[in-house]
Amino acid sequence: MTTIPLPGSPVRGSRSGAPVMALLDLLGRRWAMGVLWTLCEGGPATFRVLQERCETISPAVLNSRLKELREAKLVERTAQGYAATKLGEQLYGHLEPLGAWAKIWGKSVKSSTTARKK
Amino acid sequence: MTTIPLPGSPVRGSRSGAPVMALLDLLGRRWAMGVLWTLCEGGPATFRVLQERCETISPAVLNSRLKELREAKLVERTAQGYAATKLGEQLYGHLEPLGAWAKIWGKSVKSSTTARKK
DNA sequence: CAAAATGCTATCTTTTTCATAGCAAACTCA
DNA sequence: TGAGTTTGCTATGAAAAAGATAGCATTTTG
């Protein structure tokens, strides 16, 4: 079993346990941000629906991420299924601008990477 | 070799290749945000110095992340060593508030998780 | 020029993630 | 009520990624 990164306890990448390091560890796991993003964008969803929305996530990973996000108080179970908590929405508020920024980034990258292989 | 997620090409987690999905894929790799964070916080650094700043990163992973970040135009090599590009700084600008937010988060989580096991 | 620093690559082990299958419990409704 | 469906996962085996460590070629320094 994996340890769930929580602020205060030492995490991968930092012996200090600085909150931001715990956060980066938590979010730096495959699908962590994607799941939160999807939940916030599309609203509460059951496990199965969430899985479909994420298109390619496997149930095992979805389950792991949900456990972690719930323990981190970013996601909770409601009558409607899984949903972002207030804290989760707050975090999403910080992440959401990345959507717009990514488009700008996309242009910069593409203009310098036209016709690349592999 | 791993494919580097770039906007426009389909990435893990999304067949669409939406820029934000490419970004989340790129950043959702271990140490990706940490490296950018460290570079922006501490300024340009040589490979070795960067490695030390990151405390526990292995050279292989650091090397991979640097390649990806460079291809994504977020990091570049300068006379001073590796450094965030303008684009990278911009992105960091969006990430940076997470530092403060993580502290708030830390309190909420801790208050509900006092004395947990495992 | 010898010693130290730099920038990685190689290698092996441990973790994560992926891809699927499938099962138990809750829900539907004929 | 009880067969069929949906939901929420768990199990499993294989592939990919990350971690730990050693070490080597090149550059820099004294």
Side-chain angles (χ1 to χ4, degrees):
Chain A
M1 190 237 181
T2 317
T3 3
I4 298 174
L6 290 177
S9 52
V11 291
R12 284 186 309 204
S14 169
R15 310 179 223 279
S16 64
V20 73
M21 283 304 152
L23 184 61
L24 291 188
D25 184 6
L26 181 69
L27 297 184
R29 292 177 181 199
R30 208 148 305 166
W31 274 110
M33 289 186 285
V35 166
L36 183 62
W37 187 280
T38 305
L39 269 184
C40 288
E41 285 268 283
T46 63
F47 189 94
R48 225 105 169 177
V49 166
L50 190 52
Q51 194 183 337
E52 279 158 32
R53 280 199 204 150
C54 289
E55 299 188 44
T56 62
I57 197 173
S58 82
V61 171
L62 176 54
N63 194 30
S64 301
R65 289 304 93 84
L66 283 174
K67 268 184 194 159
E68 293 160 10
L69 291 171
R70 287 172 71 187
E71 182 131 11
K73 303 291 172 191
L74 300 175
V75 164
E76 65 190 345
R77 291 193 74 167
T78 69
Q80 287 71 208
Y82 291 100
T85 62
K86 223 153 196 176
L87 220 47
E89 294 280 1
Q90 253 180 49
L91 176 56
Y92 175 70
H94 287 295
L95 259 33
E96 198 255 15
L98 293 183
W101 182 83
K103 288 180 192 165
I104 302 174
W105 170 63
K107 285 175 197 163
S108 314
V109 174
K110 220 168 307 174
S111 63
S112 61
T113 317
T114 14
R116 65 187 202 84
K117 65 302 149 193
K118 189 50 271 246
Chain B
M1 189 235 180
T2 316
T3 6
I4 298 174
L6 291 175
S9 52
V11 291
R12 285 187 309 205
S14 168
R15 311 178 224 278
S16 64
V20 72
M21 283 303 151
L23 184 62
L24 292 188
D25 185 5
L26 181 69
L27 298 183
R29 293 175 180 201
R30 209 151 302 166
W31 274 109
M33 289 186 285
V35 167
L36 183 64
W37 187 279
T38 305
L39 270 184
C40 288
E41 285 267 283
T46 64
F47 189 95
R48 225 104 168 179
V49 167
L50 190 51
Q51 195 183 336
E52 278 158 32
R53 280 198 204 150
C54 287
E55 298 188 43
T56 61
I57 197 172
S58 83
V61 172
L62 176 55
N63 194 28
S64 302
R65 290 302 92 86
L66 282 175
K67 269 184 194 160
E68 294 159 9
L69 291 172
R70 287 173 70 188
E71 181 131 14
K73 304 290 171 190
L74 300 174
V75 164
E76 66 191 343
R77 293 192 74 166
T78 69
Q80 284 73 206
Y82 291 100
T85 62
K86 223 154 197 179
L87 221 46
E89 293 280 2
Q90 254 181 46
L91 177 56
Y92 175 69
H94 288 296
L95 258 34
E96 199 253 17
L98 293 183
W101 182 81
K103 288 179 192 163
I104 302 174
W105 170 62
K107 284 174 196 163
S108 313
V109 174
K110 220 168 307 173
S111 63
S112 61
T113 317
T114 13
R116 63 187 202 86
K117 67 304 147 192
K118 222 291 98 148

